[in-house]
Amino acid sequence: MADHSIALVLSGGVALGSYQAGVFEELHARDGLRLGWIAGSSVGAINGALMAGTPPERRVETLREYWLRGSPQGEPLIRTGIARHTFNWLSVAQARLFGSPRHLHIGGRSSFYDLTPTVDFLNKAVDFDRLNGGEVRYTVAAVDVETGNPVVFDTAAGERIGIDHLLASCGFLPEFAPVEIGGRLLGDGGLAMNAPIEPVLDALEGKGGVVFVVDLFARDGTRPRGLQEALERKNALLFGNQTFARLELYRRFWARHGVPAPTVLYLSYRQAKEEAGPEAPFDFSRASAEDRWREGILDAGEAIARLETALASATTLTTVRRAPELL
């Protein structure tokens, strides 16, 4: 494989974020792919900090510590079917009622949950001097709660990103509290740009490059067969379509105007039927984290297999799906 500097765009999705860790592990293991830029919202910003703020040789291990070793350790007796589905819902109930030891506590001052366990882990695991040092460009997206405008913090612009910026990007009302920075009350980036593609694609327009967009919600899926599946599909459509529609706007603009464009590979996590439907983002169990991580590895392998073909054919946007594509 030719040598490529890649950009990673990581969306929000709470506990579904272990899928992004699996994607990163596979990309990190491949010769010829060098991480140059990470842009993230919400849990994507947290995963991005764990990558960009640690030495290359420690990145996968740090993600594993956060997602796998830090998750509740109960094991389902059966990993498929209704028994597994029930286990996942029980895991959601545990997180909703009692929190997750590594990830969140119950009862913030102005929100349902606070992220103290995640903050403690970030302070221990992330070297914020490295994060802001330019080895990997790092971008965090949030939204101004009052105006509704997206707000972007970028280390390449000389802005020092710290814990407050990560917490602001995770401020998904009312579950998590927004944070005031510079006189603005900032909330979850997913409320404006769940996958912050704009800073990356604007910068790479006319220059080329390789971008992996890793969305935690898939706009493609099956027909819902009941209320639970309908609610899950609604969330996936709302967030997945938000990302894909914006990617399509860029693709059409570049094609219409003949602008040299980056090669974008779009990956998205499509929930297995055993997931806890619309509440899957609050299933922090280690079993579910392992399953999502494994899916990330497999999807990243498929994306890498398509990369050289996309580059050779000047294909701007490639949607990655191991199953027959529905897009």
Side-chain angles (χ1 to χ4, degrees):
M1 177 183 292
D3 190 59
H4 302 291
S5 176
I6 65 171
L8 271 181
V9 179
L10 306 175
S11 85
V14 201
L16 304 180
S18 55
Y19 172 80
Q20 294 172 342
V23 170
F24 176 76
E25 179 178 24
E26 184 66 14
L27 297 178
H28 184 69
R30 298 299 185 101
D31 292 334
L33 298 180
R34 296 175 290 104
L35 185 62
W37 190 350
I38 300 172
S41 282
S42 198
V43 75
I46 290 174
N47 277 334
L50 294 174
M51 298 169 194
T54 54
E57 67 275 11
R58 285 284 304 160
R59 289 170 182 165
V60 173
E61 182 65 19
T62 301
L63 290 165
R64 189 173 286 118
E65 182 71 24
Y66 182 70
W67 285 112
L68 304 185
R69 301 194 184 102
S71 295
Q73 296 185 8
E75 286 291 327
L77 295 176
I78 302 173
R79 282 190 171 259
T80 59
I82 189 64
R84 175 59 188 277
H85 184 62
T86 301
F87 173 89
N88 289 345
W89 269 104
L90 291 173
S91 176
V92 169
Q94 176 180 328
R96 285 292 196 182
L97 293 173
F98 305 109
S100 175
R102 172 57 52 78
H103 307 101
L104 54 89
H105 285 162
I106 298 296
R109 289 186 302 169
S110 57
S111 60
F112 294 153
Y113 307 100
D114 78 72
L115 291 168
T116 298
T118 290
V119 170
D120 291 343
F121 185 82
L122 289 168
N123 280 326
K124 178 184 73 173
V126 175
D127 180 344
F128 282 89
D129 288 333
R130 176 185 287 272
L131 182 72
N132 289 278
E135 177 185 356
V136 176
R137 183 174 177 177
Y138 180 62
T139 303
V140 174
V143 64
D144 188 314
V145 171
E146 294 178 288
T147 67
N149 293 328
V151 178
V152 173
F153 299 98
D154 191 339
T155 57
E159 297 165 316
R160 184 171 178 84
I161 293 174
I163 284 288
D164 282 351
H165 300 84
L166 303 182
L167 290 178
S169 187
C170 293
F172 194 80
L173 302 165
E175 278 86 355
F176 304 104
V179 176
E180 184 170 339
I181 298 177
R184 296 179 293 188
L185 188 65
L186 303 181
D188 195 294
L191 297 171
M193 46 170 65
N194 195 44
I197 61 172
E198 284 85 352
V200 177
L201 300 187
D202 287 348
L204 296 180
E205 187 173 279
K207 302 176 183 177
V210 176
V211 182
F212 289 83
V213 178
V214 189
D215 203 341
L216 296 179
F217 297 92
R219 70 188 291 266
D220 61 319
T222 58
R223 295 183 181 185
R225 296 166 298 176
L227 180 60
Q228 182 185 146
E229 291 184 7
L231 288 169
E232 185 276 320
R233 282 302 299 142
K234 181 193 77 171
N235 291 341
L237 286 166
L238 283 172
F239 288 108
N241 270 333
Q242 180 198 119
T243 302
F244 194 81
R246 286 153 46 227
L247 286 170
E248 267 292 289
L249 286 174
Y250 274 93
R251 185 194 65 77
R252 291 175 183 175
F253 175 84
W254 293 330
R256 185 178 301 121
H257 296 280
V259 177
T263 297
V264 181
L265 296 109
Y266 176 68
L267 297 76
S268 57
Y269 175 62
R270 188 170 172 186
Q271 291 188 20
K273 62 181 182 298
E274 288 83 7
E275 287 269 25
E279 284 293 300
F282 276 83
D283 174 9
F284 287 93
S285 68
R286 185 168 67 183
S288 292
E290 289 171 345
D291 288 347
R292 295 163 187 157
W293 188 300
R294 188 178 307 111
E295 286 297 303
I297 289 174
L298 294 173
D299 282 356
E302 180 70 17
I304 293 167
R306 299 191 188 190
L307 175 57
E308 296 299 337
T309 299
L311 288 167
S313 62
T315 301
T316 302
L317 176 59
T318 299
T319 301
V320 177
R321 180 67 68 217
R322 300 192 327 270
E325 299 205 7
L326 301 177
L327 291 173

